[in-house]
Amino acid sequence: MTKAKFVSAEDAVLAIRDDMTVGVGGFGAYGAPETLLLALADRYTRKNVPRNLTVTCAACPGDNTKADWGLNRIAKSGLIDTIIAAHFANAPLISGMVGRNEIAGYALPLGVMIHLYDAIAGHRPAVITNVGMGTYADPANDCCRMNQRAVEQGRALVEKVTIDGKECLAYKPFPIHACLVRATYAAEDGNLSMEYNALGDFGFDLAAATHNSGGIVIAEVKQVVQRGSMHPKKVRIHSSLVNYVVVSRSDLYLQGYASEYSPELCGEQRTPAKGLAPLAMSNRKVIARRCALELKRNCLINLGIGIPSGIGSVANEEGLEVSLSLESGPQGGVPVEGLGFGGSANPEAIYNLSDVFHLYDGGGLSMSFLGAAEIDSAGNVNVSKFGTRCPGPGGFINISQNTQEVNFVGTFTAGGLVEKVENGKLVIVSEGTQKKFKKHVQQITFSGEYARKTKRKVMYITERAVFCLGENGLFLTEIAPGIDLQKDVLDQMEFAPQMSSELKQMDLRIFREEPMKIA
């Protein structure tokens, strides 16, 4: 049985050598093993080793800036050769390297990425799923490859297979030679707990995948505690899987980049819901309010990052009885806005990420609200690649393909858009320079054709117009008060949608300051 050794960060990263595949824990704004990443970066700067690593993670840890946090720390030419992850955008230096073709980039759906770690741990031949069919992940399209360098590698992480006459995708496991994970406490024997995590973790999945690949598991912790002092149910990674334990630098151990520690995010304390301030009136609140009109009592709903996260605030303001679910683990509570997105104040439960996606993939969500950067006439949506910007899909594909009612939300245009709500009407002060309704999306992250085949209810909700997915593509159903149909809607699209001769007006309550008082 492995006996964990307590060492310095500098000594721990000596185990990482050229050409290894290295797993990195943390998820977006939370849980990055900062001390270990800093030690690895410093070693490369001083010694020019290790080189040509393949790095795999879920949502690349980072604070959405180019600051020296998260995976940005190791975004160095020569250190990384390939990145395999679900989402790159939290670490813009990594995303930029993929976009500039400096490293090979592969983006897998988040649920597939997490379940692939399970498959690696269990020595299973593949993760077989419908997730990704018809999207860029499909071998008929880009096969998860995000840039030319990935194409030139010739590596096929997914192939199409037929089971019982139905086509599906088989995502292929790969060995992981070392991993860097973060825990809250380590017992003297090497057992690891994660009770202060704001999100569900996948530390066990990654550690087991690495250990069962014959690899090296390196853990960073806040503190070492006495052997036997941990409650067994709090031990998330048993010492038998752990090779090295490093005590974090105190200034680098943050629950998340938004705050050093917020007890209401991990269930240690509750914050009165009435103390959570409502959104100010804006086009974002208009969108969130229109979305809130679709909510059903006592349903389980997923909210995406950005504009969709505001729906939680509106639901709280209106006193709606719904449970908000985040793919990062928290179920219930009120999702955190901005840099803290992924956490939820006063969660009712925090699932492990693998469990979240078993729930989602099986259709466990009542409905979902996801962002949309590009939409085309067929109802396809792109959120994963724009020119040289390669954020990746995160959990978008798992959620959008397997939820019965899917709502894509965002402003109608982008790039300098300025709007205000005045006298119960939407006023466009300055139109956006970038059209979001395109003839063709650059990359298919959501397939309108697949949604029609699987009979999903799909809506596209903006601050000035609402569409639904029909048999022949997008159908315009509503426009906002104060909006000119031709100038503000049709002229801002690269295609002509289908529409009724008598369009409905969006609910006027949306554009008033007072609460809507949704029944």
Side-chain angles (χ1 to χ4, degrees), residues 74-382:
I74 59 172
K76 300 179 183 293
S77 179
L79 174 57
I80 299 178
D81 174 75
T82 301
I83 179 91
I84 304 172
H87 195 59
F88 307 132
N90 290 87
L93 296 185
I94 292 291
S95 178
M97 293 178 81
V98 174
R100 294 188 299 272
N101 209 41
E102 295 172 12
I103 60 177
Y106 299 85
L108 277 64
L110 178 57
V112 171
M113 193 75 257
I114 296 298
H115 290 155
L116 199 55
Y117 296 144
D118 293 343
I120 294 168
H123 290 180
R124 297 199 296 274
V127 172
I128 298 176
T129 177
N130 68 303
V131 174
M133 289 285 292
T135 73
Y136 79 90
D138 195 314
N141 297 320
D142 299 322
C143 201
C144 294
R145 300 169 180 133
M146 296 297 281
N147 60 10
Q148 184 60 29
R149 190 157 173 175
V151 172
E152 291 169 357
Q153 279 189 350
R155 184 173 186 172
L157 288 177
V158 57
E159 66 181 47
K160 192 168 285 186
V161 297
T162 302
I163 298 178
D164 291 335
K166 294 183 178 180
E167 285 189 329
C168 49
L169 300 182
Y171 294 84
K172 302 176 185 179
F174 48 85
I176 301 176
H177 306 116
C179 72
L180 311 177
V181 297
R182 199 188 78 171
T184 304
Y185 299 120
E188 293 169 311
D189 55 8
N191 286 337
L192 305 178
S193 73
M194 299 183 177
E195 59 260 47
Y196 288 164
N197 282 10
L199 312 185
D201 70 82
F202 61 101
F204 170 79
D205 309 79
L206 186 55
T210 304
H211 179 272
N212 289 359
S213 296
I216 300 159
V217 176
I218 306 171
E220 174 180 334
V221 301
K222 180 180 178 65
Q223 187 178 338
V224 178
V225 299
Q226 185 177 2
R227 180 194 304 264
S229 64
M230 287 183 190
H231 191 289
K233 289 188 176 181
K234 288 189 175 181
V235 175
R236 285 291 299 130
I237 302 177
H238 187 260
S239 61
S240 60
L241 301 180
V242 182
N243 297 91
Y244 299 107
V245 176
V246 172
V247 176
S248 176
R249 259 177 47 180
S250 59
D251 60 319
L252 296 182
Y253 195 98
L254 307 174
Q255 184 187 49
Y257 300 121
S259 67
E260 183 177 346
Y261 176 60
S262 297
E264 71 274 13
L265 300 186
C266 61
E268 293 293 310
Q269 182 177 304
R270 291 185 67 82
T271 298
K274 291 182 180 178
L276 299 170
L279 289 175
M281 180 55 79
S282 64
N283 56 7
R284 185 183 182 207
K285 186 165 187 175
V286 166
I287 296 168
R289 281 180 154 187
R290 177 59 187 83
C291 291
L293 294 176
E294 296 299 316
L295 298 178
K296 299 177 176 65
R297 188 180 298 275
N298 298 322
C299 57
L300 185 65
I301 300 156
N302 173 269
L303 301 178
I305 193 169
I307 287 178
S309 65
I311 299 166
S313 176
V314 170
N316 182 65
E317 180 184 0
E318 297 286 341
L320 301 179
E321 297 176 4
V322 298
S323 291
L324 303 176
S325 172
L326 302 179
E327 63 263 39
S328 49
Q331 313 296 302
V334 180
V336 178
E337 296 286 324
L339 181 57
F341 181 78
S344 188
N346 307 335
E348 299 166 24
I350 301 178
Y351 291 156
N352 297 322
L353 266 67
S354 182
D355 296 337
V356 170
F357 284 101
H358 285 310
L359 174 69
Y360 286 8
D361 289 352
L365 289 170
S366 307
M367 58 177 60
S368 60
F369 296 86
L370 304 169
E374 291 182 345
I375 301 164
D376 67 20
S377 61
N380 298 321
V381 177
N382 175 25

Side-chain angles (χ1 to χ4, degrees), residues 283 373-374 389 411-419 428-438 463-464 487-488 491-494:
N283 56 7
E374 291 182 345
R389 288 178 51 230
T411 56
F412 199 82
T413 62
L417 175 65
V418 179
E419 295 173 307
I428 301 172
V429 179
S430 176
E431 185 61 85
T433 58
Q434 300 170 18
K435 293 181 179 179
K436 296 171 70 172
F437 287 82
K438 303 278 193 179
E463 81 288 2
R464 69 181 79 167
K487 177 173 69 73
D488 300 328
D491 288 351
Q492 305 305 321
M493 304 175 69
E494 292 185 358

Side-chain angles (χ1 to χ4, degrees), residues 55 477 505 512 515:
V55 174
T477 60
Q505 190 174 70
R512 296 170 182 156

